[in-house]
Amino acid sequence: MTDNSPEPRADGQPPKVERGGLWGLFLGLAGLLFPPYGVVLSVFGVVQGFRARRAARTHRSQAPGALLSVALGVIGIVVSSIMITVLFAYQDEVTEFRDCSARAHTVSTQKECDTAWESGTGLPPVVIGA
């Protein structure tokens, strides 16, 4: 990331804003949009959020979005971890579901694939990113 640390304040000037929190917010949100592969982006969002908070404390300025980027990053890590766990725990069922979905050309055949997945695993098809 670029160095977005604020410049030192002169007497009477309002504090500059630390922009690293907004970068962390962007990375955390991107990590939520691309699970399970977004775990890397979520980790970067958490790290950037903490770095922005530390820099803001050091320069006695504000870091808008820093805490939210940490929260979104943690949520992204948890969601991605759950999806990766499901992919490994139900590896055969996931392969079977994806093959069935690839052959499904109508809504009714896709519903049959969804029903087979739910009856075999007890999980909704949304968990695997269908």
Side-chain angles (χ1 to χ4, degrees):
M1 304 299 331
T2 60
D3 183 22
N4 290 326
S5 58
E7 298 171 7
R9 293 184 289 170
D11 291 335
Q13 286 185 340
K16 300 280 184 171
V17 175
E18 174 65 41
R19 294 183 305 248
L22 297 176
W23 277 107
L25 186 61
F26 171 74
L27 291 169
L29 185 61
L32 277 176
L33 293 175
F34 302 112
Y37 311 108
V39 70
V40 176
L41 295 172
S42 296
V43 168
F44 285 146
V46 169
V47 170
Q48 187 63 27
F50 281 130
R51 288 180 64 204
R53 284 296 306 148
R54 188 178 318 126
R57 239 182 267 126
T58 302
H59 299 291
R60 294 183 188 160
S61 63
Q62 299 174 2
L67 293 177
L68 188 58
S69 72
V70 171
L72 282 177
V74 168
I75 291 169
I77 291 169
V78 169
V79 168
S80 295
S81 299
I82 290 171
M83 289 183 78
I84 289 170
T85 302
V86 166
L87 288 174
F88 282 118
Y90 296 107
Q91 190 170 8
D92 295 334
E93 288 88 349
V94 168
T95 304
E96 195 174 298
F97 177 76
R98 290 203 173 153
D99 290 343
C100 181
S101 292
R103 290 187 308 266
H105 295 295
T106 63
V107 174
S108 62
T109 54
Q110 181 61 48
K111 285 185 181 179
E112 290 173 8
C113 296
D114 293 347
T115 304
W117 167 263
E118 287 179 15
S119 66
T121 61
L123 299 170
V126 176
V127 173
I128 58 171

